[in-house]
Amino acid sequence: MVISVDYKSGCLVCGKELVYQKKFENMVCYYCNETYDSNVKCVDGHFICDRCHRLSANELIEEYCIKTESEDPLELAITLMRNPNLKMHGPEHHFLVPAVLLASYYNMKKDRKKKETKIKEARRRAEKILGGFCGSHGDCGAAVGTGIFVSLITGATPLSNHEWRLSNTITAKSLLSIANHGGPRCCKRNTYLAIIEAVTFLKEGLKTTMRIDEDMKCEFNPLNKECIKGRCPFYDGSRNDH
Ligand SMILES: [Zn+2]
Ligand SMILES: [Zn+2]
């Protein structure tokens, strides 16, 4: 997929052209899984309902993560990042990290009820981490997002012992991984790094294995003026960029 300016006017999932059919038919919304009568979908068959069209970035992340069956947090994050509501950089990534991790975790545990409650609580917590936190507080919101995730799955509180250690450790580990690459900040790079650290942490500390593609390449560098290119482990030099 090539991202271009057209991306903002085509399909919200893949950026391709929209097709208007003569006849209305039942279509299932890509994000909320509800069925609607419609005559518009993209050339690849993606349909997005009017309600999902109007959602804010955090509402969309919440809706999609509650409905999805996926157990791959990296794939979930990239799918959501393709929606133009999620900006190249922005505080929605602070919620994106715990949301995709919680969705994958509770999908693996087959516990939909807990998934929904925890994702809503993660949003409440993540919305307190303001934009630009990485620069102003020395604490990238994507790293804090992994702390929110581990705090929620372990039930940590400020008074816990083991759970407290786990949630603070994951924030420390993902923050170090993010810091080691230097700036300028990139909400995509930091999200990937935070998710990869969380997946390693789950495997080593909590004996839970999530399957992700750690060798993935980023498709968003053409949108990032400050891309660090060769210093980024996800940089794809074959893409058209600045
Ligand atoms: Zn599409
Ligand atoms: Zn929908």
Side-chain angles (χ1 to χ4, degrees):
M1 181 185 61
V2 177
I3 298 178
S4 67
V5 182
D6 294 343
Y7 184 56
K8 304 286 179 198
S9 61
C11 170
L12 297 186
V13 179
C14 70
K16 291 186 184 160
E17 197 185 331
L18 298 179
V19 185
Y20 293 81
Q21 302 170 173
K22 285 202 182 98
K23 277 192 186 158
F24 278 68
E25 60 179 63
N26 277 349
M27 295 188 193
V28 179
C29 173
Y30 183 83
Y31 293 113
C32 69
N33 278 342
E34 301 290 333
T35 305
Y36 294 90
D37 224 20
S38 176
N39 67 337
V40 193
K41 56 184 175 183
C42 87
V43 288
D44 278 359
H46 301 126
F47 161 70
I48 296 116
C49 76
D50 286 346
R51 201 182 133 264
C52 287
H53 257 284
R54 286 193 296 266
L55 296 179
S56 69
N58 280 356
E59 285 166 345
L60 182 79
I61 294 168
E62 182 180 301
E63 179 82 38
Y64 186 58
C65 287
I66 287 172
K67 294 288 165 63
T68 183
E69 303 286 332
S70 171
E71 297 175 2
D72 180 338
L74 207 47
E75 181 193 73
L76 275 175
I78 293 165
T79 301
L80 281 161
M81 283 171 175
R82 287 180 185 144
N83 186 292
N85 259 355
L86 274 78
K87 303 294 176 232
M88 178 62 219
H89 308 293
E92 58 270 34
H93 295 83
H94 306 166
F95 174 44
L96 180 66
V97 171
V100 297
L101 287 166
L102 287 165
S104 306
Y105 184 79
Y106 286 108
N107 282 343
M108 288 174 73
K109 304 258 174 233
K110 312 250 179 286
D111 193 338
R112 295 190 67 89
K113 206 166 162 239
K114 251 192 197 155
K115 177 173 76 160
E116 179 163 352
T117 319
K118 305 269 183 180
I119 287 173
K120 287 183 172 165
E121 174 60 16
R123 180 173 166 196
R124 207 178 62 78
R125 296 184 190 183
E127 283 180 346
K128 293 190 178 135
I129 316 160
L130 303 177
F133 222 66
C134 53
S136 62
H137 290 62
D139 197 356
C140 168
V144 183
T146 61
I148 294 175
F149 164 63
V150 173
S151 165
L152 279 168
I153 61 167
T154 60
T157 73
L159 299 179
S160 319
N161 173 5
H162 183 57
E163 299 81 359
W164 187 92
R165 180 198 305 274
L166 290 174
S167 53
N168 280 276
T169 302
I170 183 58
T171 306
K173 283 186 177 244
S174 46
L175 191 58
L176 189 61
S177 166
I178 287 166
N180 280 339
H181 289 89
R185 64 78 182 89
C186 171
C187 292
K188 304 302 187 235
R189 181 181 77 242
N190 297 349
T191 296
Y192 307 144
L193 290 169
I195 291 171
I196 291 170
E197 281 301 323
V199 169
T200 307
F201 187 79
L202 278 176
K203 192 172 172 184
E204 290 170 358
L206 296 164
K207 307 280 173 269
T208 302
T209 304
M210 280 183 190
R211 292 188 202 294
I212 55 167
D213 175 14
E214 289 192 25
D215 298 323
M216 52 78 61
K217 290 291 166 212
C218 181
E219 59 189 71
F220 303 98
N221 64 296
L223 301 174
N224 184 13
K225 284 200 303 286
E226 298 103 13
C227 178
I228 60 171
K229 300 184 181 177
R231 286 198 289 124
C232 174
F234 311 103
Y235 180 62
D236 178 359
S238 68
R239 283 183 183 272
N240 190 18
D241 61 4
H242 301 273

